[in-house]
Coordinates of all heavy atoms in Angstrom, one line a residue:
M1448 N -12.3 40.5 26.6 CA -11.6 41.2 25.5 C -10.1 40.9 25.4 O -9.6 40.8 24.3 CB -11.9 42.7 25.7 CG -11.4 43.6 24.6 SD -12.5 43.4 23.2 CE -12.2 44.9 22.3
G1449 N -9.5 40.8 26.6 CA -8.1 40.5 26.6 C -7.8 39.1 26.1 O -6.8 38.9 25.5
E1450 N -8.8 38.2 26.2 CA -8.6 36.8 25.7 C -8.6 36.9 24.2 O -7.8 36.2 23.6 CB -9.8 36.0 26.2 CG -9.6 34.5 25.9 CD -10.8 33.7 26.4 OE1 -11.4 34.0 27.4 OE2 -11.0 32.6 25.8
I1451 N -9.4 37.7 23.6 CA -9.5 37.8 22.1 C -8.2 38.3 21.6 O -7.6 37.9 20.6 CB -10.7 38.6 21.7 CG1 -12.0 37.9 22.0 CG2 -10.6 39.0 20.2 CD1 -13.2 38.7 21.8
K1452 N -7.6 39.4 22.3 CA -6.4 39.9 21.9 C -5.2 38.9 21.9 O -4.4 38.8 21.1 CB -6.0 41.1 22.7 CG -6.7 42.4 22.3 CD -6.2 43.6 23.1 CE -6.9 44.9 22.7 NZ -6.3 46.0 23.4
G1453 N -5.3 38.1 23.0 CA -4.3 37.0 23.1 C -4.4 36.0 22.0 O -3.3 35.6 21.5
I1454 N -5.6 35.6 21.6 CA -5.8 34.7 20.6 C -5.3 35.3 19.2 O -4.6 34.6 18.5 CB -7.3 34.3 20.5 CG1 -7.7 33.4 21.7 CG2 -7.5 33.5 19.2 CD1 -9.1 33.1 21.8
R1455 N -5.7 36.6 19.0 CA -5.2 37.2 17.8 C -3.7 37.3 17.7 O -3.1 37.0 16.7 CB -5.7 38.7 17.7 CG -7.0 38.8 17.1 CD -7.3 40.3 16.8 NE -8.7 40.4 16.5 CZ -9.5 41.5 16.7 NH1 -8.9 42.5 17.3 NH2 -10.7 41.5 16.4
K1456 N -3.1 37.6 18.8 CA -1.6 37.7 18.9 C -1.0 36.4 18.6 O 0.0 36.3 17.8 CB -1.2 38.2 20.3 CG 0.2 38.7 20.3 CD 0.5 39.4 21.7 CE 1.7 40.2 21.6 NZ 1.9 40.9 22.9
Q1457 N -1.6 35.3 19.1 CA -1.0 33.9 18.9 C -1.2 33.6 17.4 O -0.3 33.1 16.8 CB -1.8 32.9 19.8 CG -1.3 31.5 19.6 CD -2.1 30.5 20.3 OE1 -2.9 30.9 21.2 NE2 -1.9 29.2 20.1
L1458 N -2.4 33.8 16.9 CA -2.6 33.5 15.5 C -1.7 34.3 14.5 O -1.1 33.8 13.6 CB -4.1 33.8 15.1 CG -5.1 32.8 15.7 CD1 -6.5 33.2 15.4 CD2 -4.8 31.4 15.2
N1459 N -1.5 35.6 14.8 CA -0.6 36.4 14.0 C 0.8 35.9 14.1 O 1.5 35.8 13.1 CB -0.6 37.9 14.5 CG -1.8 38.6 14.0 OD1 -2.4 38.2 13.0 ND2 -2.2 39.7 14.7
S1460 N 1.3 35.4 15.3 CA 2.6 34.9 15.4 C 2.8 33.6 14.6 O 3.9 33.3 14.2 CB 3.0 34.7 16.9 OG 2.2 33.6 17.4
E1461 N 1.7 32.8 14.4 CA 1.7 31.6 13.6 C 1.7 32.0 12.1 O 2.3 31.3 11.3 CB 0.6 30.7 14.0 CG 0.7 30.1 15.4 CD -0.5 29.3 15.8 OE1 -1.2 28.7 14.9 OE2 -0.7 29.1 17.0
V1462 N 0.9 33.0 11.7 CA 0.7 33.3 10.3 C 1.9 34.1 9.7 O 2.2 33.9 8.6 CB -0.6 34.1 10.2 CG1 -0.7 34.8 8.8 CG2 -1.8 33.2 10.5
E1463 N 2.5 35.0 10.5 CA 3.6 35.8 9.9 C 4.7 35.0 9.3 O 5.1 35.3 8.2 CB 4.1 36.7 11.0 CG 3.1 37.9 11.2 CD 3.6 38.9 12.3 OE1 4.8 38.8 12.7 OE2 2.7 39.6 12.8
P1464 N 5.2 33.9 10.0 CA 6.2 33.1 9.3 C 5.7 32.5 8.0 O 6.5 32.4 7.0 CB 6.6 32.0 10.3 CG 6.0 32.5 11.6 CD 4.9 33.4 11.3
L1465 N 4.5 32.1 8.0 CA 3.9 31.5 6.7 C 3.9 32.5 5.6 O 4.2 32.2 4.5 CB 2.5 30.9 7.0 CG 2.4 29.8 8.0 CD1 1.0 29.4 8.3 CD2 3.2 28.6 7.5
N1466 N 3.5 33.8 6.0 CA 3.5 34.8 5.0 C 4.9 35.0 4.3 O 5.0 35.2 3.1 CB 3.0 36.2 5.6 CG 1.5 36.2 5.8 OD1 0.8 35.5 5.1 ND2 1.1 37.1 6.7
S1467 N 5.9 34.9 5.2 CA 7.3 35.1 4.6 C 7.6 34.0 3.7 O 8.5 34.2 2.8 CB 8.3 35.3 5.8 OG 8.4 34.1 6.5
E1468 N 7.0 32.8 3.9 CA 7.3 31.7 2.9 C 6.5 31.9 1.7 O 6.9 31.5 0.6 CB 6.9 30.4 3.6 CG 7.8 29.9 4.7 CD 7.4 28.6 5.4 OE1 6.9 27.7 4.6 OE2 7.6 28.5 6.6
V1469 N 5.3 32.4 1.8 CA 4.4 32.5 0.7 C 4.8 33.6 -0.3 O 4.7 33.5 -1.5 CB 2.9 32.7 1.1 CG1 2.0 33.1 0.0 CG2 2.4 31.4 1.8
K1470 N 5.2 34.7 0.2 CA 5.5 35.9 -0.6 C 6.5 35.6 -1.8 O 6.2 35.9 -2.9 CB 6.0 37.1 0.2 CG 4.9 37.7 1.0 CD 5.3 38.9 1.8 CE 4.2 39.5 2.6 NZ 4.5 40.6 3.5
P1471 N 7.6 34.9 -1.5 CA 8.5 34.5 -2.6 C 7.8 33.6 -3.6 O 8.1 33.7 -4.8 CB 9.7 33.8 -1.9 CG 9.6 34.1 -0.5 CD 8.2 34.5 -0.2
L1472 N 6.9 32.7 -3.2 CA 6.2 31.8 -4.1 C 5.3 32.6 -5.0 O 5.2 32.3 -6.2 CB 5.4 30.8 -3.3 CG 6.3 29.8 -2.5 CD1 5.4 28.9 -1.7 CD2 7.2 29.0 -3.3
N1473 N 4.7 33.7 -4.5 CA 3.8 34.5 -5.3 C 4.6 35.1 -6.5 O 4.1 35.2 -7.6 CB 3.2 35.7 -4.5 CG 2.1 35.2 -3.5 OD1 1.5 34.1 -3.8 ND2 1.8 35.9 -2.5
S1474 N 5.8 35.5 -6.2 CA 6.6 36.1 -7.4 C 6.9 35.0 -8.4 O 7.2 35.3 -9.6 CB 7.9 36.8 -6.8 OG 8.7 35.8 -6.2
E1475 N 7.0 33.8 -8.0 CA 7.3 32.7 -9.0 C 6.0 32.4 -9.7 O 6.0 32.0 -10.9 CB 7.8 31.4 -8.2 CG 9.2 31.6 -7.6 CD 9.6 30.3 -6.9 OE1 9.2 29.2 -7.4 OE2 10.3 30.5 -5.9
V1476 N 4.8 32.5 -9.0 CA 3.6 32.1 -9.6 C 3.1 33.1 -10.6 O 2.5 32.8 -11.7 CB 2.5 31.8 -8.5 CG1 1.1 31.7 -9.1 CG2 2.9 30.6 -7.8
A1477 N 3.3 34.4 -10.4 CA 2.7 35.4 -11.2 C 3.1 35.2 -12.7 O 2.2 35.3 -13.5 CB 3.2 36.8 -10.7
P1478 N 4.4 35.0 -13.0 CA 4.7 34.8 -14.5 C 4.0 33.6 -15.1 O 3.6 33.5 -16.2 CB 6.2 34.6 -14.5 CG 6.7 35.0 -13.2 CD 5.6 34.9 -12.2
L1479 N 3.8 32.5 -14.2 CA 3.1 31.3 -14.7 C 1.7 31.6 -15.0 O 1.1 31.1 -16.0 CB 3.2 30.2 -13.7 CG 4.6 29.7 -13.4 CD1 4.6 28.7 -12.2 CD2 5.3 29.1 -14.6
N1480 N 1.0 32.5 -14.2 CA -0.4 32.8 -14.5 C -0.5 33.5 -15.9 O -1.4 33.2 -16.6 CB -0.9 33.8 -13.4 CG -1.2 33.1 -12.1 OD1 -1.4 31.9 -12.1 ND2 -1.2 33.8 -11.0
S1481 N 0.5 34.3 -16.2 CA 0.4 35.0 -17.5 C 0.5 34.0 -18.7 O 0.0 34.2 -19.8 CB 1.4 36.1 -17.6 OG 2.7 35.6 -17.6
E1482 N 1.2 32.9 -18.4 CA 1.3 31.8 -19.4 C 0.0 31.0 -19.5 O -0.4 30.5 -20.5 CB 2.5 30.9 -19.1 CG 3.9 31.5 -19.3 CD 5.0 30.6 -18.9 OE1 4.8 29.3 -19.1 OE2 6.0 31.0 -18.4
V1483 N -0.6 30.8 -18.3 CA -1.8 29.9 -18.3 C -3.0 30.6 -18.8 O -3.9 29.9 -19.5 CB -2.0 29.5 -16.8 CG1 -3.4 28.8 -16.6 CG2 -0.9 28.5 -16.4
E1484 N -3.2 31.9 -18.6 CA -4.4 32.6 -19.1 C -4.7 32.3 -20.5 O -5.8 32.0 -20.8 CB -4.3 34.1 -18.8 CG -4.3 34.5 -17.3 CD -5.6 34.0 -16.6 OE1 -6.7 34.0 -17.2 OE2 -5.5 33.6 -15.5
P1485 N -3.8 32.5 -21.5 CA -4.1 32.2 -22.9 C -4.5 30.8 -23.1 O -5.4 30.5 -23.9 CB -2.8 32.5 -23.6 CG -2.0 33.3 -22.7 CD -2.4 33.0 -21.3
L1486 N -4.0 29.8 -22.3 CA -4.3 28.4 -22.5 C -5.8 28.2 -22.0 O -6.5 27.4 -22.6 CB -3.4 27.5 -21.7 CG -1.9 27.6 -22.2 CD1 -1.0 26.8 -21.2 CD2 -1.8 27.1 -23.6
N1487 N -6.2 28.9 -21.0 CA -7.6 28.8 -20.5 C -8.6 29.1 -21.6 O -9.6 28.4 -21.8 CB -7.8 29.7 -19.3 CG -7.2 29.1 -18.1 OD1 -6.9 28.0 -18.0 ND2 -7.0 30.0 -17.1
S1488 N -8.3 30.1 -22.4 CA -9.2 30.5 -23.5 C -9.2 29.4 -24.6 O -10.2 29.3 -25.3 CB -8.8 31.8 -24.1 OG -7.6 31.8 -24.7
E1489 N -8.1 28.7 -24.8 CA -8.1 27.6 -25.7 C -8.9 26.3 -25.2 O -9.5 25.6 -25.9 CB -6.7 27.2 -26.1 CG -5.9 28.2 -26.8 CD -4.5 27.8 -27.1 OE1 -4.2 26.6 -27.3 OE2 -3.6 28.7 -27.2
V1490 N -8.8 26.1 -23.9 CA -9.3 24.9 -23.3 C -10.9 25.1 -23.1 O -11.6 24.1 -23.3 CB -8.7 24.7 -21.9 CG1 -9.5 23.7 -21.1 CG2 -7.2 24.2 -22.1
A1491 N -11.4 26.2 -22.9 CA -12.8 26.4 -22.6 C -13.7 25.8 -23.7 O -14.6 25.1 -23.5 CB -13.1 27.9 -22.4
P1492 N -13.4 26.1 -25.0 CA -14.2 25.5 -26.1 C -14.1 24.0 -26.1 O -15.1 23.3 -26.4 CB -13.7 26.1 -27.4 CG -12.8 27.2 -27.0 CD -12.4 27.1 -25.5
L1493 N -12.9 23.5 -25.8 CA -12.7 22.0 -25.8 C -13.5 21.4 -24.7 O -14.1 20.3 -24.9 CB -11.2 21.7 -25.6 CG -10.3 22.2 -26.8 CD1 -8.9 21.9 -26.4 CD2 -10.6 21.5 -28.1
N1494 N -13.6 22.1 -23.6 CA -14.5 21.5 -22.5 C -15.9 21.4 -22.9 O -16.6 20.4 -22.6 CB -14.4 22.4 -21.2 CG -13.1 22.2 -20.5 OD1 -12.4 21.2 -20.6 ND2 -12.7 23.2 -19.7
S1495 N -16.4 22.4 -23.6 CA -17.8 22.4 -24.0 C -18.0 21.3 -25.1 O -19.1 20.7 -25.1 CB -18.2 23.7 -24.6 OG -17.5 24.1 -25.7
E1496 N -17.0 20.9 -25.9 CA -17.1 19.8 -26.8 C -17.1 18.5 -26.0 O -17.7 17.5 -26.4 CB -16.0 19.8 -27.8 CG -16.1 21.0 -28.8 CD -14.9 21.0 -29.7 OE1 -14.3 19.9 -30.0 OE2 -14.5 22.1 -30.2
G1497 N -16.3 18.5 -25.0 CA -16.1 17.2 -24.2 C -17.2 16.8 -23.3 O -17.4 15.6 -23.1
E1498 N -18.0 17.8 -22.9 CA -19.1 17.4 -21.9 C -20.1 16.4 -22.5 O -20.4 15.5 -21.8 CB -19.8 18.7 -21.5 CG -19.0 19.6 -20.5 CD -18.5 18.8 -19.3 OE1 -19.3 18.0 -18.7 OE2 -17.3 19.0 -18.9
P1499 N -20.6 16.6 -23.7 CA -21.5 15.6 -24.3 C -20.9 14.3 -24.4 O -21.5 13.2 -24.2 CB -21.9 16.2 -25.6 CG -21.5 17.6 -25.6 CD -20.4 17.8 -24.6
L1500 N -19.6 14.2 -24.7 CA -18.9 13.0 -24.9 C -18.8 12.2 -23.5 O -18.9 11.0 -23.4 CB -17.5 13.2 -25.4 CG -17.4 13.7 -26.9 CD1 -16.0 14.0 -27.3 CD2 -18.1 12.8 -27.8
N1501 N -18.6 13.0 -22.5 CA -18.5 12.4 -21.1 C -19.8 11.7 -20.8 O -19.7 10.6 -20.2 CB -18.2 13.5 -20.0 CG -16.8 14.0 -20.1 OD1 -15.9 13.3 -20.6 ND2 -16.6 15.1 -19.5
S1502 N -20.9 12.2 -21.2 CA -22.2 11.6 -20.8 C -22.4 10.3 -21.7 O -23.1 9.3 -21.2 CB -23.4 12.5 -21.1 OG -23.4 12.9 -22.4
K1503 N -21.7 10.2 -22.8 CA -21.8 8.9 -23.6 C -20.8 7.9 -23.1 O -21.0 6.7 -23.1 CB -21.4 9.2 -25.1 CG -22.5 10.0 -25.8 CD -22.1 10.3 -27.2 CE -23.2 11.2 -27.9 NZ -22.8 11.5 -29.3
V1504 N -19.6 8.4 -22.6 CA -18.6 7.5 -22.1 C -18.9 6.9 -20.8 O -18.6 5.7 -20.5 CB -17.2 8.3 -22.0 CG1 -16.1 7.5 -21.3 CG2 -16.7 8.6 -23.5
A1505 N -19.5 7.6 -19.9 CA -19.8 7.1 -18.5 C -20.5 5.7 -18.5 O -20.1 4.8 -17.9 CB -20.5 8.1 -17.7
P1506 N -21.6 5.6 -19.3 CA -22.3 4.3 -19.3 C -21.4 3.2 -19.9 O -21.4 2.0 -19.5 CB -23.5 4.5 -20.2 CG -23.6 5.9 -20.4 CD -22.3 6.6 -20.1
L1507 N -20.6 3.6 -20.9 CA -19.7 2.6 -21.5 C -18.6 2.1 -20.4 O -18.3 0.9 -20.4 CB -19.0 3.2 -22.7 CG -19.9 3.5 -23.9 CD1 -19.1 4.2 -25.0 CD2 -20.5 2.2 -24.4
N1508 N -18.2 3.0 -19.6 CA -17.2 2.6 -18.6 C -17.8 1.5 -17.7 O -17.1 0.6 -17.3 CB -16.7 3.8 -17.7 CG -15.8 4.7 -18.5 OD1 -15.1 4.3 -19.4 ND2 -15.7 5.9 -18.1
S1509 N -19.0 1.7 -17.3 CA -19.6 0.7 -16.4 C -19.7 -0.7 -17.1 O -19.6 -1.7 -16.5 CB -20.9 1.1 -15.8 OG -21.8 1.4 -16.8
K1510 N -20.1 -0.6 -18.4 CA -20.2 -1.9 -19.2 C -18.8 -2.5 -19.3 O -18.7 -3.8 -19.2 CB -20.7 -1.6 -20.6 CG -22.2 -1.3 -20.6 CD -22.7 -1.0 -22.0 CE -24.2 -0.6 -22.0 NZ -24.7 -0.3 -23.3
V1511 N -17.8 -1.7 -19.6 CA -16.4 -2.3 -19.7 C -16.0 -2.9 -18.4 O -15.4 -4.0 -18.3 CB -15.4 -1.2 -20.1 CG1 -14.0 -1.6 -19.9 CG2 -15.7 -0.8 -21.6
E1512 N -16.3 -2.2 -17.3 CA -15.9 -2.8 -16.0 C -16.6 -4.1 -15.7 O -16.0 -5.1 -15.2 CB -16.2 -1.8 -14.9 CG -15.9 -2.2 -13.5 CD -14.4 -2.5 -13.2 OE1 -13.6 -2.0 -14.1 OE2 -14.1 -3.1 -12.2
F1513 N -17.9 -4.2 -16.1 CA -18.7 -5.4 -15.9 C -18.0 -6.5 -16.7 O -17.8 -7.7 -16.3 CB -20.1 -5.2 -16.3 CG -20.9 -6.5 -16.4 CD1 -21.4 -7.1 -15.2 CD2 -21.2 -7.0 -17.6 CE1 -22.1 -8.3 -15.3 CE2 -21.9 -8.2 -17.7 CZ -22.4 -8.9 -16.6
L1514 N -17.7 -6.2 -18.0 CA -17.1 -7.2 -18.9 C -15.7 -7.7 -18.4 O -15.4 -8.8 -18.4 CB -17.0 -6.7 -20.3 CG -18.4 -6.5 -21.0 CD1 -18.2 -5.8 -22.3 CD2 -19.1 -7.9 -21.2
R1515 N -15.0 -6.7 -17.8 CA -13.6 -7.1 -17.3 C -13.8 -8.0 -16.1 O -13.1 -9.0 -16.0 CB -12.9 -5.8 -16.8 CG -11.5 -6.1 -16.3 CD -10.9 -4.8 -15.7 NE -11.5 -4.4 -14.5 CZ -11.3 -4.9 -13.3 NH1 -10.5 -6.0 -13.2 NH2 -12.0 -4.5 -12.3
L1516 N -14.7 -7.8 -15.2 CA -14.9 -8.6 -14.1 C -15.4 -10.0 -14.5 O -15.0 -11.0 -14.0 CB -15.9 -8.0 -13.1 CG -15.5 -6.8 -12.4 CD1 -16.6 -6.1 -11.6 CD2 -14.3 -7.1 -11.5
K1517 N -16.3 -10.0 -15.5 CA -16.8 -11.3 -16.0 C -15.7 -12.1 -16.7 O -15.6 -13.3 -16.4 CB -17.9 -11.0 -17.1 CG -18.7 -12.2 -17.5 CD -19.9 -11.8 -18.3 CE -20.7 -13.1 -18.6 NZ -22.0 -12.7 -19.3
Y1518 N -14.8 -11.4 -17.4 CA -13.7 -12.1 -18.1 C -12.7 -12.7 -17.0 O -12.3 -13.8 -17.1 CB -12.9 -11.1 -18.9 CG -11.6 -11.6 -19.5 CD1 -11.7 -12.5 -20.6 CD2 -10.4 -11.3 -19.0 CE1 -10.5 -13.0 -21.1 CE2 -9.2 -11.8 -19.5 CZ -9.3 -12.6 -20.6 OH -8.1 -13.1 -21.1
E1519 N -12.5 -11.9 -16.0 CA -11.6 -12.4 -14.9 C -12.2 -13.6 -14.2 O -11.5 -14.5 -13.9 CB -11.3 -11.2 -13.9 CG -10.4 -10.2 -14.4 CD -10.1 -9.1 -13.4 OE1 -10.7 -9.1 -12.3 OE2 -9.4 -8.1 -13.8
S1520 N -13.5 -13.5 -13.9 CA -14.1 -14.7 -13.3 C -14.1 -15.9 -14.2 O -13.9 -17.0 -13.7 CB -15.5 -14.4 -12.8 OG -16.3 -14.1 -13.9
L1521 N -14.3 -15.7 -15.5 CA -14.2 -16.9 -16.4 C -12.8 -17.4 -16.5 O -12.6 -18.6 -16.6 CB -14.7 -16.4 -17.8 CG -16.2 -16.2 -17.9 CD1 -16.5 -15.6 -19.3 CD2 -17.0 -17.5 -17.7
Q1522 N -11.8 -16.5 -16.4 CA -10.4 -16.9 -16.4 C -10.1 -17.8 -15.2 O -9.4 -18.8 -15.3 CB -9.5 -15.7 -16.4 CG -8.6 -15.6 -17.6 CD -7.7 -14.5 -17.6 OE1 -7.9 -13.5 -16.8 NE2 -6.7 -14.5 -18.5
M1523 N -10.6 -17.3 -14.0 CA -10.4 -18.1 -12.8 C -11.0 -19.5 -12.9 O -10.4 -20.5 -12.5 CB -11.0 -17.3 -11.6 CG -10.1 -16.1 -11.2 SD -10.9 -15.0 -10.0 CE -11.3 -16.2 -8.7
I1524 N -12.2 -19.5 -13.4 CA -12.9 -20.8 -13.6 C -12.1 -21.7 -14.5 O -11.9 -22.9 -14.3 CB -14.4 -20.6 -14.1 CG1 -15.2 -20.0 -13.0 CG2 -15.0 -22.0 -14.5 CD1 -16.6 -19.5 -13.5
N1525 N -11.6 -21.1 -15.6 CA -10.9 -21.9 -16.6 C -9.5 -22.4 -16.0 O -9.1 -23.4 -16.3 CB -10.6 -21.0 -17.8 CG -10.1 -21.8 -19.0 OD1 -10.4 -22.9 -19.2 ND2 -9.3 -21.1 -19.8
D1526 N -8.9 -21.6 -15.1 CA -7.7 -22.0 -14.5 C -7.8 -23.1 -13.5 O -6.8 -23.8 -13.2 CB -7.0 -20.8 -13.8 CG -6.5 -19.7 -14.8 OD1 -6.4 -20.1 -16.0 OD2 -6.3 -18.6 -14.4
Q1527 N -9.0 -23.3 -13.0 CA -9.2 -24.4 -12.0 C -9.2 -25.8 -12.6 O -9.3 -26.2 -13.5 CB -10.5 -24.2 -11.3 CG -10.5 -23.0 -10.4 CD -11.8 -22.8 -9.7 OE1 -12.8 -23.4 -10.0 NE2 -11.8 -21.9 -8.7

């Protein structure tokens, strides 16, 4: 039991200085949260529009990468 108290005391001594650093940051973050909240409601519908597009774009990205690699290899052959 004494070992657990010692561990708790050690952890508390490590956490307390961190708390004193975090508390001022919380006061800076709170006003930003109030600015972000309205933006979240604007972004949510855009995300739902974007999801179907992502599924169309993903296969195109792999095709583009393939073509880029093919172009680079052809360029290397041409440079020789």
Side-chain angles (χ1 to χ4, degrees):
M1448 187 72 160
E1450 186 179 334
I1451 293 174
K1452 281 187 178 182
I1454 293 171
R1455 270 193 194 149
K1456 196 173 198 176
Q1457 180 185 350
L1458 290 174
N1459 282 338
S1460 69
E1461 292 176 25
V1462 167
E1463 283 177 19
L1465 297 174
N1466 282 338
S1467 65
E1468 291 179 36
V1469 168
K1470 285 181 184 177
L1472 296 175
N1473 285 339
S1474 64
E1475 291 178 35
V1476 168
L1479 297 175
N1480 283 339
S1481 64
E1482 291 179 34
V1483 168
E1484 289 303 322
L1486 297 175
N1487 284 339
S1488 63
E1489 292 179 33
V1490 168
L1493 297 174
N1494 283 339
S1495 62
E1496 290 176 27
E1498 288 305 319
L1500 296 175
N1501 286 339
S1502 63
K1503 292 178 182 176
V1504 168
L1507 294 175
N1508 283 339
S1509 61
K1510 287 180 184 176
V1511 166
E1512 181 63 15
F1513 171 76
L1514 291 172
R1515 184 187 67 78
L1516 292 171
K1517 191 170 185 175
Y1518 174 77
E1519 286 177 2
S1520 63
L1521 289 172
Q1522 242 183 345
M1523 288 173 49
I1524 292 169
N1525 193 29
D1526 290 345
Q1527 290 178 348

